[in-house]
Amino acid sequence: MSKAQSSAAAQKTAGTDKREVILTAALDLFRHYGYRRTSMEDIARAAAVAKGTLYLYFKSKDELFEAICRSLAEQVGEGVARAEALDLPLEPKLTALMEAKLGFVYRWILSSPHAAELVDSGSRLSEDVFGEVYDRFYNAVRHLVRGGVASGELDLNAVGLTEEATVDALIAAAYGAEKAPDEKMFHARLTAIIKLTLRGLRA
Amino acid sequence: MSKAQSSAAAQKTAGTDKREVILTAALDLFRHYGYRRTSMEDIARAAAVAKGTLYLYFKSKDELFEAICRSLAEQVGEGVARAEALDLPLEPKLTALMEAKLGFVYRWILSSPHAAELVDSGSRLSEDVFGEVYDRFYNAVRHLVRGGVASGELDLNAVGLTEEATVDALIAAAYGAEKAPDEKMFHARLTAIIKLTLRGLRA
Amino acid sequence: MSKAQSSAAAQKTAGTDKREVILTAALDLFRHYGYRRTSMEDIARAAAVAKGTLYLYFKSKDELFEAICRSLAEQVGEGVARAEALDLPLEPKLTALMEAKLGFVYRWILSSPHAAELVDSGSRLSEDVFGEVYDRFYNAVRHLVRGGVASGELDLNAVGLTEEATVDALIAAAYGAEKAPDEKMFHARLTAIIKLTLRGLRA
Amino acid sequence: MSKAQSSAAAQKTAGTDKREVILTAALDLFRHYGYRRTSMEDIARAAAVAKGTLYLYFKSKDELFEAICRSLAEQVGEGVARAEALDLPLEPKLTALMEAKLGFVYRWILSSPHAAELVDSGSRLSEDVFGEVYDRFYNAVRHLVRGGVASGELDLNAVGLTEEATVDALIAAAYGAEKAPDEKMFHARLTAIIKLTLRGLRA
DNA sequence: GATGAATGAGACTTCATTCAT
DNA sequence: AATGAATGAAGTCTCATTCAT
């Protein structure tokens, strides 16, 4: 590769990188110190750029936060899609789906001591940014339940729930694992909850 | 009763009242506008006292918030104690316990659009303020499970969980109901989750 | 006067004064350095108060400026009213009116090297704040012209102007004096212009 | 013409053009939005060049503004020279001179809603940039007045003014027309003022 | 106890200017 | 010559907290 090419490549990478560097630095700070306790000055320092530079990439602190959410949502979406594509029996597949959705969020947001504030800061974005991902996830679980009923593995009548209520309950119960203090506990609880709730639905 | 006594009593009552008035006004504002969006000025206005007066009762905004948390924790504790005292079969009793703990929190905190921020603001207090209440709640559920196993109604071996893991899972799953958009959904999900998980534990 | 009374009086004066002190300091700085070159920090320093204090009295920098304008407008209005009440022959009375309106503005605004910017900053206020004063002034001049015509001292037909156009022209011509480099020149020009234009209207 | 020459010429033309394009774009923006509300970014965009390019032609925003003033001053100077050369009777010639000086300024600066700020921004330049033009204009009016006196058409003694004071007053009064809300009113007032003041000077 | 005027650190954001490419 | 990403000083405004009365 010629020097010119190398230089051009470096430049492009650098340009692209800077946005990433800022996003990474900001997410890191938000996770450690929370949204309001993290100033644009802090982010600039952590990303090794000037304060003004942040505004070249993001219109405001809020938009910077939104960009982080979009990025995370995108990654969750990809994870869910991958899990959806797996060919597995009911329980492992449900576990894979939950891991993909909840596990990712847990690792990047909920494991932070300021998880709640971050979720709150992003709450107005929830609909726009996370809505689509959630829909995909919800439908995947629903499809799984329907399949389980069709194959006779599950019996919703035994607990007297509609399909929708069942899916709601399954997901809601799994969400409960997110309060875990660390990732190991998170996995243990998630697994236990899935085992319990699925057994509760078995014919 | 002498005039002096009467006056002193009135003053004390007034003083106590004022504290309550402030707490009530503050909780109301926090629920509506969130912690950071609610200024001490707002609270003072809502409580019909001067800003400086707030500092006669609470050292800082954070301590005011902590006092609210303590007050709520106390009420939750009383609710849990009441539920504990009920003489009911396994499922209704577990439901009563969950309602006492989660329902109260849901109604006062989680139903707010700023629930997440409030929880975050109170997160460092969790250990101190809510810890005791949680322990009582946890032990009540544990006692219930132990009773269920002893009576043969539950069989932990069927799902391969220890008693502790089971209690953890039951509580965690129930927590999942807290994401519900309104109280009706909260109840529906909580009931469904308990039904599901308990059925999953039945012998 | 008792100490308490004195103290109370001093307090009241101090409270009232602070607003005045700020207004005075701000006008002074605006006249010397212009609107945009004068920061709120500068004003606070000049008024010997903290930055935040400015916002106790004025919602924003713009409102502070508006308050100055209102105060000046009020004073102009009073001056015009006083001139209106004078019982004088045509020329001295017109001069008195012009002095009251233009002279005051000249002394407080236009003698500043940043007059133009100040006028611009206040231009959106012009209608609201200065409109009423201008109307009073305009009508006073009109009344004077009408009286001169009635008494035969003036003859609008000689220059072929309507009454309205005449008043417009008289006022406009007088405004031209405001570009003077100092107050002495301002008076000289204003007098000369009035003399010239009135002579141009004489029968 | 060799290709190199052609290219150089084109480049030079383009370079010269670019300067004009920038000046034109900037004046337009300044008139619409004012000096401070117009950013170098805005100007660059309007002129379809990069921000850095502005600094190849002008050292700073202030110098860019100064260049605009010089350009306008030059045009005013030419207009005044043309009016000076006209062979007309007193009143029409004075009107032509005033039109050339004041009318041009009115059209390009004063008709803007941000006229005041522009004048202010240019005020420190006044001496240097507009001084020469003003001198020419002033002398032309003076010459006209002197001629009027010599021919017996004007009589300064009637109003008791020196020649200098008379010229000052004539010009100052005419300046008053500049506050007009639109060009039509500007002309009407200017004409009326000239008519009035000249009549005031007639023998 | 009660008040509320005063404080001032600190937050977000803008924009004229520079400089490596 | 031309670019435009990067800079960072400076500005406006907020708000938890203090303290003299």
Side-chain angles (χ1 to χ4, degrees):
Chain A
M1 191 189 266
S2 79
K3 188 181 170 185
Q5 278 178 320
S6 154
S7 159
Q11 195 181 347
K12 195 186 168 205
T13 303
T16 304
D17 267 357
K18 195 155 284 184
R19 195 175 190 276
E20 293 302 321
V21 165
I22 293 170
L23 283 174
T24 304
L27 175 54
D28 191 50
L29 289 169
F30 285 154
R31 281 164 41 96
H32 279 42
Y33 304 105
Y35 183 75
R36 70 194 138 142
R37 291 276 303 271
T38 300
S39 71
M40 291 301 264
E41 182 102 34
D42 293 336
I43 297 172
R45 196 168 23 246
V49 299
K51 231 187 314 181
T53 305
L54 301 181
Y55 291 88
L56 292 180
Y57 293 91
F58 309 97
K59 262 197 225 157
S60 66
K61 192 184 183 183
D62 274 7
E63 276 207 10
L64 169 51
F65 185 80
E66 188 181 325
I68 291 177
C69 290
R70 278 188 205 289
S71 164
L72 293 178
E74 201 176 321
Q75 293 176 69
V76 173
E78 288 165 7
V80 169
R82 269 197 302 276
E84 233 180 327
L86 295 175
D87 184 24
L88 291 171
L90 183 63
E91 186 164 333
K93 178 137 187 194
L94 183 61
T95 303
L97 270 172
M98 295 291 188
E99 283 277 359
K101 171 73 169 67
L102 308 183
F104 189 91
V105 171
Y106 183 84
R107 260 188 305 286
W108 286 101
I109 301 287
L110 301 173
S111 59
S112 153
H114 297 277
E117 191 202 6
L118 298 181
V119 171
D120 181 60
S121 300
S123 65
R124 16 159 214 229
L125 309 174
S126 291
E127 301 296 309
D128 300 338
V129 179
F130 296 112
E132 197 187 345
V133 175
Y134 183 79
D135 287 348
R136 161 167 239 154
F137 168 66
Y138 182 89
N139 285 323
V141 175
R142 180 169 210 153
H143 187 258
L144 213 53
V145 168
R146 195 169 291 176
V149 171
S151 73
E153 189 175 352
L154 305 182
D155 176 13
L156 308 192
N157 296 324
V159 283
L161 294 174
T162 65
E163 182 187 279
E164 195 175 3
T166 304
V167 173
D168 265 10
L170 273 177
I171 292 177
Y175 267 127
E178 288 186 330
K179 291 238 166 134
D182 58 53
E183 205 168 340
K184 207 180 142 200
M185 281 298 283
F186 167 75
H187 282 295
R189 286 193 186 163
L190 183 57
T191 309
I193 291 169
I194 291 175
K195 209 179 285 185
L196 235 54
T197 48
L198 271 192
R199 188 163 187 270
L201 285 172
R202 289 247 160 71
Chain B
M1 191 188 271
S2 78
K3 189 181 171 186
Q5 279 178 320
S6 155
S7 160
Q11 200 176 344
K12 193 186 170 205
T13 303
T16 304
D17 271 356
K18 200 162 283 187
R19 195 173 188 279
E20 292 303 320
V21 166
I22 292 171
L23 284 174
T24 304
L27 174 54
D28 190 50
L29 289 169
F30 286 154
R31 281 165 40 94
H32 279 41
Y33 304 106
Y35 184 75
R36 66 190 145 153
R37 292 274 306 270
T38 299
S39 70
M40 292 299 266
E41 181 97 37
D42 293 335
I43 297 171
R45 192 166 28 243
V49 299
K51 228 189 313 183
T53 306
L54 300 181
Y55 289 88
L56 294 177
Y57 294 92
F58 309 98
K59 260 197 226 161
S60 67
K61 193 184 183 185
D62 275 7
E63 277 205 10
L64 168 50
F65 186 80
E66 188 181 323
I68 292 178
C69 290
R70 278 188 205 287
S71 164
L72 293 178
E74 203 177 321
Q75 292 176 71
V76 173
E78 288 165 7
V80 169
R82 272 196 301 277
E84 234 180 327
L86 295 174
D87 185 25
L88 290 171
L90 183 63
E91 186 165 334
K93 178 135 188 196
L94 184 60
T95 303
L97 272 171
M98 295 290 188
E99 282 278 358
K101 171 73 169 66
L102 308 183
F104 188 90
V105 172
Y106 183 85
R107 260 188 305 286
W108 286 101
I109 301 288
L110 301 172
S111 59
S112 152
H114 297 279
E117 192 201 5
L118 298 181
V119 171
D120 180 62
S121 301
S123 65
R124 22 164 210 235
L125 310 173
S126 291
E127 303 295 310
D128 301 338
V129 179
F130 295 112
E132 199 188 344
V133 176
Y134 183 78
D135 287 349
R136 161 168 241 154
F137 169 66
Y138 182 89
N139 286 324
V141 176
R142 181 170 209 153
H143 188 257
L144 213 53
V145 168
R146 196 170 291 176
V149 171
S151 73
E153 188 174 351
L154 303 182
D155 175 15
L156 307 193
N157 296 323
V159 282
L161 293 174
T162 65
E163 181 187 281
E164 193 175 5
T166 303
V167 174
D168 265 10
L170 273 177
I171 293 176
Y175 268 127
E178 289 186 329
K179 292 238 166 134
D182 58 53
E183 205 169 341
K184 208 181 141 198
M185 280 298 282
F186 167 75
H187 283 296
R189 286 193 187 165
L190 183 59
T191 310
I193 289 169
I194 292 176
K195 207 178 288 183
L196 235 54
T197 47
L198 271 192
R199 187 163 189 268
L201 284 171
R202 289 243 162 73
Chain C
M1 190 190 268
S2 79
K3 188 181 170 186
Q5 278 178 321
S6 154
S7 160
Q11 196 181 347
K12 192 185 171 207
T13 303
T16 305
D17 267 357
K18 195 155 286 184
R19 196 175 188 275
E20 293 303 321
V21 165
I22 293 171
L23 282 174
T24 305
L27 175 54
D28 190 50
L29 288 169
F30 286 154
R31 280 164 41 94
H32 280 41
Y33 304 106
Y35 184 75
R36 72 194 137 143
R37 290 277 304 271
T38 300
S39 71
M40 292 299 267
E41 181 103 35
D42 293 336
I43 297 171
R45 196 167 23 245
V49 298
K51 229 185 319 178
T53 304
L54 301 181
Y55 291 88
L56 292 180
Y57 293 92
F58 309 98
K59 260 197 228 159
S60 66
K61 192 183 184 184
D62 274 7
E63 276 206 13
L64 169 50
F65 186 80
E66 188 180 323
I68 292 177
C69 289
R70 277 187 205 289
S71 165
L72 294 178
E74 201 177 323
Q75 292 176 71
V76 173
E78 288 165 6
V80 169
R82 271 196 302 275
E84 234 179 328
L86 296 175
D87 186 24
L88 290 170
L90 184 62
E91 186 165 332
K93 177 133 187 196
L94 184 60
T95 304
L97 271 171
M98 295 290 189
E99 283 276 0
K101 172 73 168 66
L102 308 183
F104 188 92
V105 172
Y106 182 84
R107 260 189 305 287
W108 286 103
I109 301 287
L110 301 172
S111 59
S112 152
H114 297 279
E117 192 201 6
L118 298 181
V119 171
D120 181 59
S121 300
S123 64
R124 18 159 212 230
L125 309 173
S126 289
E127 302 296 310
D128 300 337
V129 178
F130 296 113
E132 197 188 345
V133 176
Y134 182 80
D135 287 348
R136 162 166 239 154
F137 168 67
Y138 181 89
N139 286 323
V141 175
R142 181 170 209 152
H143 187 256
L144 213 54
V145 168
R146 196 170 291 177
V149 171
S151 73
E153 189 175 348
L154 304 181
D155 176 13
L156 308 193
N157 296 324
V159 283
L161 293 174
T162 64
E163 181 189 278
E164 194 175 3
T166 303
V167 173
D168 264 10
L170 274 176
I171 292 176
Y175 267 127
E178 288 186 328
K179 291 240 167 132
D182 59 53
E183 204 169 342
K184 209 180 138 196
M185 281 298 283
F186 168 74
H187 283 294
R189 285 192 186 164
L190 181 59
T191 310
I193 290 169
I194 292 175
K195 207 178 287 184
L196 235 54
T197 47
L198 271 193
R199 187 165 189 267
L201 284 172
R202 290 246 161 69
Chain D
M1 191 189 269
S2 79
K3 188 181 171 187
Q5 278 178 320
S6 154
S7 160
Q11 202 177 342
K12 192 186 171 204
T13 302
T16 304
D17 272 355
K18 199 161 284 186
R19 196 174 187 277
E20 292 303 322
V21 166
I22 293 171
L23 284 174
T24 305
L27 175 54
D28 190 50
L29 289 169
F30 286 153
R31 282 166 38 95
H32 279 41
Y33 304 106
Y35 184 75
R36 67 192 143 151
R37 292 276 303 270
T38 300
S39 69
M40 292 299 266
E41 180 99 35
D42 293 335
I43 298 171
R45 194 167 27 243
V49 298
K51 229 188 313 183
T53 306
L54 300 180
Y55 290 86
L56 293 177
Y57 293 93
F58 309 97
K59 259 198 227 160
S60 67
K61 193 183 184 185
D62 276 5
E63 277 206 11
L64 168 51
F65 186 79
E66 188 181 325
I68 291 177
C69 291
R70 279 189 205 289
S71 164
L72 292 178
E74 201 178 320
Q75 292 176 72
V76 173
E78 287 165 8
V80 169
R82 272 197 301 276
E84 233 179 328
L86 295 175
D87 185 24
L88 290 170
L90 185 61
E91 187 165 332
K93 178 135 186 194
L94 185 60
T95 303
L97 271 171
M98 295 290 189
E99 284 276 0
K101 172 71 168 67
L102 308 183
F104 188 91
V105 173
Y106 183 86
R107 258 188 307 285
W108 286 101
I109 301 287
L110 301 172
S111 59
S112 152
H114 298 279
E117 192 201 5
L118 299 182
V119 171
D120 180 63
S121 301
S123 64
R124 18 165 211 230
L125 309 174
S126 290
E127 301 296 309
D128 301 337
V129 178
F130 295 112
E132 198 188 344
V133 176
Y134 183 79
D135 288 348
R136 161 166 241 154
F137 169 66
Y138 182 88
N139 286 324
V141 176
R142 181 170 210 153
H143 187 257
L144 213 54
V145 168
R146 195 171 292 175
V149 171
S151 73
E153 188 175 352
L154 304 181
D155 176 11
L156 307 193
N157 297 324
V159 282
L161 294 174
T162 63
E163 182 188 278
E164 194 175 3
T166 304
V167 174
D168 264 11
L170 274 177
I171 293 176
Y175 268 126
E178 288 186 329
K179 291 238 167 135
D182 59 53
E183 204 168 342
K184 208 180 140 196
M185 281 297 282
F186 167 74
H187 283 294
R189 286 193 186 164
L190 181 59
T191 310
I193 290 169
I194 291 175
K195 207 179 287 184
L196 235 54
T197 49
L198 271 192
R199 189 165 187 268
L201 284 172
R202 291 246 161 70

